[in-house]
Amino acid sequence: MRLAIVGRTKLLVDTARRLLTDGHTIGLVVTSGDMAASEPFAALAFACGAAFVETAKVNSQQIVETMRDAACELGISLNWRTLIKPATLACFARGVLNGHAGDLPRFRGNACPNWAILAGEPHVGLCVHQMTPELDAGPIYARTHYPLEADTYVTDVQNWIDATMPELFSSALASIARGEEPVPQNPDPSAALRCYPRRPDDSRIDWRTDADTIRRLIRASSRPFDGAFCFLDDRRVTIWRADVVEPTSRYLAAPGQPCEPVEGDPIVACGSGFLRLTDISLNGFSNIDSKAQVNRSARLRLT
């Protein structure tokens, strides 16, 4: 099939390259971003002999005409910032496929893997679906899942998405080539769950909550994101990894209070329960030195 690539991020470039190995061709590459982010897309277009467009206005009349002129059968989209409108979708005889990191129709919208961890879901989904004017509502050509265990971090999920998405698109296009119909989503409105964007400051820790809830926030905010955080004497402490623990001694402590450390790891009291901080950073200090800063006085508090 002759494809148009529409979106952002390295993952879309990797997906396009995977589809090229399947024998598909690329006639158009459309992206939106700063120069550094756009360079891999420009290089992809040059290598394929495809038209290249950098724009934030994918629904403009000019871009619609460019898409029609490219005569691509199918669009492949990831991480476009806005909804792609019907006139743009209609440029492609087979429509536009979108890769979505959510178990549709549950977890439509933004930051779905992060929200799935925060909500204590048993797994996170990955879908390739037909784009429609309604957000993440189109029928599904391919789907898979990744289990969310108690020690699964968003880092693990993102690595899985990066490895799996190109193969899932490959499977979806093979399904289309075989003439298979996509699976409609459950039309019951109660089956859908809309996820809204998260900002870095949404990951600030409230030590008055329980240890399990705080650890889910840490797991959902870890690399490649900005990390869950708090403050120590007005200095930001980013917590990348932590474990819920039961202290070997009995004691009372205020939420956010560093208690007796274990092998150098701070043990911090929560509203209920305790967390062992195993990977943290404070103002550019190493992990070990950051822990030493947190452990230096029993009178300190993480806030």
Side-chain angles (χ1 to χ4, degrees):
M1 278 181 275
R2 181 173 169 86
L3 309 175
I5 303 300
V6 183
R8 304 176 302 120
T9 75
K10 177 180 179 296
L11 180 55
L12 180 55
V13 174
D14 291 343
T15 297
R17 289 173 176 157
R18 175 67 179 85
L19 298 178
L20 286 171
T21 67
D22 290 341
H24 301 288
T25 60
I26 295 174
L28 175 66
V29 177
V30 182
T31 191
S32 170
D34 59 30
M35 184 177 295
S38 297
E39 284 177 358
F41 288 88
L44 173 69
F46 180 79
C48 296
F52 174 69
V53 177
E54 184 177 0
T55 180
K57 299 179 179 179
V58 74
N59 296 305
S60 70
Q61 183 60 37
Q62 180 182 358
I63 299 303
V64 167
E65 291 174 1
T66 298
M67 289 183 171
R68 288 174 181 161
D69 291 343
C72 297
E73 298 171 70
L74 180 69
I76 303 296
S77 181
L78 275 175
N79 299 110
W80 195 261
R81 293 182 185 276
T82 59
L83 286 173
I84 299 179
K85 294 183 178 180
T88 308
L89 298 176
C91 293
F92 309 101
R94 296 180 182 267
V96 178
L97 298 189
N98 179 57
H100 179 73
D103 194 16
L104 298 174
R106 191 166 170 79
F107 289 92
R108 291 176 177 173
N110 303 89
C112 296
N114 314 75
W115 281 117
I117 293 173
L118 288 167
E121 291 288 303
H123 59 253
V124 62
L126 193 61
C127 297
V128 172
H129 69 97
Q130 189 88 31
M131 294 189 80
T132 64
E134 183 181 355
L135 178 68
D136 296 332
I140 296 168
Y141 278 98
R143 181 199 300 268
T144 188
H145 298 93
Y146 185 81
L148 295 177
E149 308 291 349
D151 59 351
T152 302
Y153 282 74
V154 72
T155 313
D156 307 311
V157 178
Q158 193 61 51
N159 289 339
W160 170 74
I161 291 171
D162 290 345
T164 305
M165 185 71 83
E167 299 303 319
L168 203 65
F169 266 106
S170 177
S171 296
L173 266 63
S175 175
I176 292 173
R178 292 191 296 267
E180 297 172 357
E181 294 295 324
V183 178
Q185 294 189 39
N186 186 341
D188 184 352
S190 66
L193 178 65
R194 171 65 190 272
C195 298
Y196 284 90
R198 291 183 59 79
R199 303 190 313 185
D201 56 351
D202 293 329
S203 295
R204 182 165 183 174
I205 295 169
D206 181 353
W207 293 101
R208 296 168 297 181
T209 54
D210 65 273
D212 284 323
T213 299
I214 295 172
R215 185 169 185 253
R216 285 202 299 272
L217 178 65
I218 293 167
R219 290 167 49 217
S221 307
S222 195
R223 302 176 180 94
F225 299 96
D226 292 328
F229 68 98
C230 56
F231 290 90
L232 178 72
D233 295 336
D234 296 326
R235 294 180 295 170
R236 180 183 171 116
V237 180
T238 303
I239 303 175
W240 302 107
R241 300 184 77 89
D243 295 317
V244 177
V245 294
E246 186 66 36
T248 56
S249 303
R250 297 180 63 193
Y251 42 77
L252 298 174
Q257 184 166 37
C259 303
E260 184 176 355
V262 174
E263 298 177 347
D265 292 344
I267 305 297
V268 181
C270 306
S272 63
F274 297 83
L275 282 178
R276 178 175 179 173
L277 310 186
T278 58
D279 186 358
I280 68 175
S281 57
L282 187 156
N283 280 21
F285 284 103
S286 68
N287 184 28
I288 293 174
D289 291 340
S290 296
K291 292 175 182 178
Q293 290 290 312
V294 173
N295 288 328
R296 74 179 189 272
S297 172
R299 295 186 179 277
L300 295 175
R301 298 288 187 277
L302 295 174
T303 59

